[in-house]
Amino acid sequence: MEAATASSNSKVMASSRVMVSSRAMVSSKVMVNSSRAMEELQKHERNEKYKEYGKYAGGALAAAAAVGAAVYGVHEYKEHKEEKEEEERREEEEKRREEERRRQQLHQQKQQQHQQQQPGRHSPGHDSAYGGQQGSQQGSSHGGSGFQPPVPMGRPPYTYDPHDVRNADPSRSSQNSPTPREYPQIRQVNGDAAIKIGSIIALKHNMTGRFLHTDRSHSTESGSNQQLVFGFRWNPDENDYWQVLPANHDVPVPGSIVSYGTQIRLRHMETGHHLHSHYNYRESRSGQNEVTAYGDQSNSDENDHWVIERWGDGAYGQTWNAHDVVVLRHYVSGMTLHSHEILISEDVQSVTCFGPGNEENDKWRVQCQ
């Protein structure tokens, strides 16, 4: 009896353990499933947040792309506009130069026809004397050349009257000019006589033998307060050299040969100023238009423009030869670079801008460095 009771209790206890174990397993499974459900829920929430972030980021990227496209479009428009304006400026300048060349050629043909009608006329184009007969000091037409320059484009004919005041064209200044500020310096070698853009030269006055000179220690007495240009001594020094440069808004290739009839500028090597003349200020001794050294690489106007001509016939279109006697004609006034035996002080010989260029005192010779 007791044995039967013990067996029954043992079965009951075993059954209880099975039930407890089953409940534990069920509870464990429930906890696992709950944990997985929680993870799935969190994962779902994260995915939703990422989608929202993606929308915002996509919008920001699209906006940035739109702004970038707009900025690029504006840049492209500006660049295209500037290129078009520059091209139009070049075309206008080329038209102006072509018209000037055409007029010069026509004028040269007329001059040649005139010379052919006067077969006995002597051309002093290669006058070999540094001395010789003294020309007039105050501008008579004694001796001299019969050459007459062409009428400046868009302007009345030259009168050579210092009271006929003519102003420089502001559109032909260094402002907004495509002309390079500097050109390579060229020194003539091996007997090369062709003057080029960039050549370094000195100019010797044919009648007196003095060199065209300027320095920082001499200023004008007229009131312009610019650096004085004068004839100095008979052997060149470092203050007698000038570089041949193109006129403002002209863009020739460095080293290109200069032809007679071309507008040029002369920049003083030591001070960087340009050979310059103007109305309203007179040289104190002669009363003629003064010549100065003025401006710099970034400051140059049409009063710095000079037309190079061969003495006697102009020789427009032919190569500027260092052995020729030349005349430098101020483009604005039409008057020429002139000197004479009038001394401002010791070794300071007056240099002016005067007359049509038909005097012995208007002749200059080139000496290359």
Side-chain angles (χ1 to χ4, degrees):
M1 182 72 175
E2 290 178 357
T5 301
S7 175
S8 176
N9 289 338
S10 176
K11 289 180 180 179
V12 170
M13 290 176 64
S15 177
S16 296
R17 285 196 295 271
V18 169
M19 289 177 64
V20 170
S21 176
S22 297
R23 286 175 183 172
M25 291 177 63
V26 170
S27 177
S28 176
K29 287 180 180 180
V30 169
M31 290 177 65
V32 169
N33 290 336
S34 297
S35 176
R36 288 177 178 174
M38 183 61 71
E39 288 178 359
E40 289 294 328
L41 179 61
Q42 291 174 348
K43 183 178 180 181
H44 177 71
E45 290 176 350
R46 284 196 301 271
N47 289 339
E48 290 299 318
K49 287 182 180 180
Y50 293 157
K51 288 179 181 178
E52 290 296 319
Y53 294 158
K55 289 180 182 178
Y56 292 139
L61 287 172
V67 170
V71 171
Y72 179 76
V74 170
H75 173 74
E76 285 293 302
Y77 171 76
K78 285 184 176 179
E79 196 171 70
H80 177 71
K81 184 180 179 182
E82 290 172 356
E83 288 177 355
K84 186 175 180 181
E85 289 175 348
E86 180 62 26
E87 183 177 354
E88 289 174 352
R89 281 196 296 269
R90 285 197 299 268
E91 289 176 354
E92 286 297 320
E93 188 62 27
E94 182 59 34
K95 287 179 182 178
R96 185 192 66 77
R97 288 198 295 267
E98 183 60 33
E99 179 64 18
E100 187 75 17
R101 284 193 293 268
R102 188 189 66 78
R103 292 173 62 259
Q104 290 175 354
Q105 290 171 357
L106 181 61
H107 181 78
Q108 186 178 8
Q109 290 172 1
K110 289 181 179 179
Q111 287 289 129
Q112 290 172 349
Q113 290 172 1
H114 178 71
Q115 291 171 6
Q116 289 171 0
Q117 293 170 1
Q118 299 178 359
R121 178 179 176 274
H122 170 65
S123 172
H126 293 274
D127 194 327
S128 61
Y130 273 99
Q133 185 175 359
Q134 176 69 29
S136 167
Q137 300 298 321
Q138 296 298 328
S140 75
S141 58
H142 174 73
S145 164
F147 175 75
Q148 294 295 323
V151 176
M153 188 171 65
R155 305 179 192 188
Y158 293 128
T159 63
Y160 314 111
D161 180 358
H163 300 289
D164 177 21
V165 177
R166 300 180 178 217
N167 296 316
D169 181 352
S171 70
R172 301 197 66 205
S173 71
S174 56
Q175 185 176 6
N176 299 320
S177 172
T179 307
R181 297 289 187 259
E182 294 184 78
Y183 272 79
Q185 298 177 14
I186 297 176
R187 288 163 173 82
Q188 309 298 110
V189 294
N190 299 327
D192 182 9
I195 303 300
K196 305 170 183 66
I197 293 296
S199 289
I200 309 300
I201 64 171
L203 288 170
K204 187 167 189 174
H205 189 236
N206 195 62
M207 286 299 296
T208 63
R210 293 181 186 265
F211 281 92
L212 190 72
H213 179 102
T214 190
D215 56 51
R216 292 185 175 89
S217 63
H218 291 83
S219 297
T220 60
E221 300 174 345
S222 63
S224 67
N225 296 319
Q226 295 179 11
Q227 192 168 290
L228 183 68
V229 170
F230 55 96
F232 193 43
R233 294 180 178 169
W234 298 272
N235 293 306
D237 67 16
E238 66 275 7
N239 283 307
D240 295 338
Y241 287 100
W242 307 76
Q243 185 179 24
V244 178
L245 297 175
N248 291 310
H249 292 271
D250 288 348
V251 192
V253 176
S256 56
I257 291 175
V258 179
S259 299
Y260 291 118
T262 301
Q263 291 183 52
I264 61 168
R265 291 177 296 158
L266 292 175
R267 179 178 293 162
H268 191 240
M269 292 298 296
E270 285 295 311
T271 65
H273 299 319
H274 300 108
L275 187 68
H276 181 95
S277 186
H278 44 219
Y279 288 95
N280 302 322
Y281 294 100
R282 307 289 180 83
E283 193 274 317
S284 59
R285 303 296 189 276
S286 67
Q288 299 169 4
N289 282 5
E290 73 178 9
V291 174
T292 67
Y294 182 70
D296 53 39
Q297 292 181 4
S298 302
N299 181 18
S300 174
D301 63 21
E302 198 181 30
N303 278 325
D304 302 336
H305 292 189
W306 301 81
V307 180
I308 184 68
E309 299 171 353
R310 188 170 68 191
W311 166 262
D313 60 0
Y316 280 25
Q318 298 181 37
T319 297
W320 179 5
N321 189 299
H323 302 309
D324 289 342
V325 176
V326 297
V327 170
L328 284 96
R329 187 177 305 280
H330 189 238
Y331 183 74
V332 173
S333 68
M335 292 184 272
T336 57
L337 188 68
H338 180 95
S339 191
H340 36 221
E341 290 182 342
I342 297 177
L343 295 180
I344 298 172
S345 60
E346 185 178 359
D347 280 336
V348 179
Q349 179 175 290
S350 167
V351 171
T352 66
C353 191
F354 177 75
N358 58 7
E359 293 189 28
E360 294 293 315
N361 279 328
D362 302 327
K363 291 181 177 182
W364 298 84
R365 289 180 177 272
V366 171
Q367 183 165 319
C368 298
Q369 189 177 39

